[in-house]
């Protein structure tokens, strides 16, 4: 958990950061530098809270050094990615740095990297049936796809990402670029498909996994779709058939921004992250909470003469942290480890 908090803002290919930058009208590097302002305090707080929730004060004291390592690497990785203009790969920089540092820390402390004494009979049988290299192969394919697509020095970026935007025209003059080949879910499906022959599985196991996916994927998908839809309704309300806005004062976002500015005034900057936290818990995907709230933050900031992008970034980061206790992600995690129903007990100790 301590390592996860360091990179939860980025996802695999930085989709939340890209959405935040697009809504705020800033570059990806600018979004990265804004995130770097919040990450030391946020990541340190979440790392120690995770340790405290797992083992109270004794574990929190024991985990001081690895927690601070995670915080330092998260911030450094973000700044490096922003300076290099590679924010879509920030998750790789941060994740690889955290994994390497924690493995090195275990080595220095004399702990084994692989401890078979912790495995039960079922775990040992699974290890015999599928070696470790086969189990991690899908993740290896996914991790190779990120740098392959997003490093400008390689030809794949221009060929698959820029060359195939797959634009969908909904609002005139503002095409939505799908870019399927740079989406995490595409590479997730492709990596599983490519690695299936090496995983020594069977059609029965595949059917069982697909059944679990069918039962569990619906709620997160609907939640994400609904909140994205709400964001578009809010943003484009009061527009006529030509997508022009005759009276901006009747736009839903303008009305909400005016009300928020009137109620909270300058203190809205402190309220916004808690709004992002609530939206992240409700939606699960951080991107959905960014899409829903960013325009409201920007308009409210304009009314109170506040730093709009800074306020929106604080809300976005809070939405990413909230993903650790969102029902949608907890259900997915519980299904993954075979603990269906266990997600009902986690929010009580973490909220």
């Amino acid at each position: 958990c301590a390592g996860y908090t360091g990179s939860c803002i980025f996802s695999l290919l930085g989709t939340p950061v890209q959405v935040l930058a697009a809504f705020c009208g800033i570059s990806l590097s600018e979004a990265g530098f804004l995130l770097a302002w919040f990450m030391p305090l946020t990541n340190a707080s979440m790392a120690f809270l995770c340790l405290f929730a797992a083992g109270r004060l004794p574990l929190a004291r024991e985990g001081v050094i690895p927690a601070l390592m995670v915080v330092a690497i998260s911030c450094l990785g973000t700044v490096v990615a922003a300076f290099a203009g590679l924010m879509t790969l920030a998750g790789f920089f941060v994740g690889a740095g955290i994994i390497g540092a924690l493995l090195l820390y275990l080595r220095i402390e004399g702990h084994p990297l692989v401890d078979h004494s912790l495995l039960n009979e079922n775990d040992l049988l699974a290890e015999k049936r599928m070696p470790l290299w086969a189990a991690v192969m899908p993740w290896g394919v996914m991790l190779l796809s990120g740098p392959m697509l997003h490093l400008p020095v390689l030809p794949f970026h221009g060929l698959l990402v820029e060359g195939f935007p797959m634009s969908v025209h909904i609002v005139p003059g503002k095409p939505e670029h799908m870019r399927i080949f740079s989406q995490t879910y595409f590479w997730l499906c492709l990596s599983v498909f490519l690695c299936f022959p090496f995983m020594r599985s069977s059609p029965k196991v595949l059917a069982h996994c697909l059944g679990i996916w069918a039962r569990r994927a619906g709620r997160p998908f609907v939640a994400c779709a609904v909140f994205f839809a709400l964001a578009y309704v809010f943003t484009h309300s009061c527009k006529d058939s030509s997508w022009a806005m005759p009276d901006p004062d009747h736009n839903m976002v303008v009305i909400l921004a005016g009300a928020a500015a009137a109620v909270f005034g300058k203190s809205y900057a402190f309220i916004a992250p808690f709004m992002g936290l609530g939206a992240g818990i409700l939606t699960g995907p951080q991107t959905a909470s960014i899409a829903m709230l960013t325009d409201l933050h920007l308009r409210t900031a304009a009314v109170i003469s506040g730093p709009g992008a800074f306020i929106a970034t604080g809300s976005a980061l809070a939405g990413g942290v909230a993903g650790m206790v969102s029902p949608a992600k907890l259900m997915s995690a519980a299904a993954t480890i075979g603990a269906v129903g266990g997600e009902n007990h986690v929010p009580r100790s973490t909220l």
Side-chain angles (χ1 to χ4, degrees):
C1 285
Y4 170 76
T5 59
S7 53
C8 62
I9 181 67
F10 300 114
S11 78
L12 184 62
L13 295 176
T15 302
V17 183
Q18 296 182 59
V19 174
L20 175 65
F23 269 88
C24 293
I26 58 179
S27 68
L28 289 175
S29 294
E30 289 175 305
F33 288 125
L34 286 172
L35 287 169
W37 279 99
F38 290 92
M39 292 184 75
L41 178 60
T42 305
N43 287 357
S45 301
M46 292 308 301
F48 284 113
L49 283 174
C50 287
L51 292 169
F52 181 81
R56 301 305 175 186
L57 283 177
L59 187 59
R61 294 193 192 98
E62 185 180 350
V64 168
I65 294 178
L68 293 179
M69 289 169 56
V70 166
V71 173
I73 294 170
S74 301
C75 299
L76 181 61
T78 304
V79 173
V80 169
F83 269 115
L86 296 172
M87 280 305 298
T88 52
L89 296 177
F92 287 88
F93 295 144
V94 173
I98 289 174
I99 292 173
L102 292 180
L103 290 177
L104 180 62
Y105 175 77
L106 288 175
R107 270 297 186 195
I108 294 174
E109 290 290 307
H111 299 295
L113 300 182
V114 179
D115 190 356
H116 287 84
S117 65
L118 300 176
L119 303 180
N120 56 33
E121 293 184 5
N122 292 331
D123 295 330
L124 294 173
L125 289 175
E127 187 181 32
K128 290 181 180 179
R129 187 182 69 252
M130 182 187 301
L132 181 61
W133 65 266
V136 301
M137 184 179 287
W139 292 106
V141 173
M142 289 185 65
L143 293 176
L144 286 175
S145 68
M148 182 182 71
L149 286 174
H150 290 279
L151 283 176
V153 297
L154 298 178
F156 304 104
H157 179 75
L159 181 64
L160 295 178
V161 179
E162 301 298 336
F164 290 92
M166 300 180 184
S167 302
V168 177
H169 295 270
I170 302 174
V171 180
K174 295 183 178 180
E176 297 290 340
H177 303 301
M178 303 295 290
R179 292 195 172 95
I180 300 297
F181 294 123
S182 65
Q183 299 298 331
T184 304
Y185 56 79
F186 172 82
W187 290 99
L188 174 63
C189 296
L190 182 63
S191 63
V192 172
F193 176 77
L194 292 175
C195 300
F196 188 74
F198 301 95
M199 299 177 70
R200 300 180 185 179
S201 191
S202 65
K204 183 178 179 180
V205 173
L206 179 61
H208 176 70
C209 294
L210 290 175
I212 293 177
W213 172 81
R215 291 192 300 270
R216 293 289 174 174
R219 291 183 183 179
F221 173 79
V222 171
C224 189
V226 166
F227 280 91
F228 262 98
L230 285 174
Y232 275 93
V233 170
F234 286 174
T235 302
H236 299 292
S237 60
C238 195
K239 290 185 177 180
D240 56 24
S241 57
S242 63
W243 292 91
M245 190 180 296
D247 189 357
D249 290 337
H250 290 168
N251 177 264
M252 296 175 70
V253 177
V254 174
I255 294 173
L256 290 172
V263 172
F264 300 112
K266 295 287 186 180
S267 62
Y268 181 82
F270 299 96
I271 302 298
F274 291 96
M275 296 172 64
L277 195 71
I281 292 174
L282 289 174
T283 63
Q286 177 191 10
T287 308
S289 66
I290 294 173
M292 182 182 178
L293 294 175
T294 300
D295 198 26
L296 173 62
H297 295 325
L298 295 176
R299 290 183 180 271
T300 306
V303 175
I304 63 174
S305 300
F310 194 78
I311 293 173
T313 302
S315 174
L317 188 59
V321 171
M324 292 197 300
V325 292
S326 67
K329 289 190 176 182
L330 290 176
M331 285 189 295
S332 300
T336 301
I337 64 174
V340 176
E343 68 271 14
N344 298 324
H345 307 290
V346 175
R348 300 174 190 174
S349 60
T350 53
L351 280 176

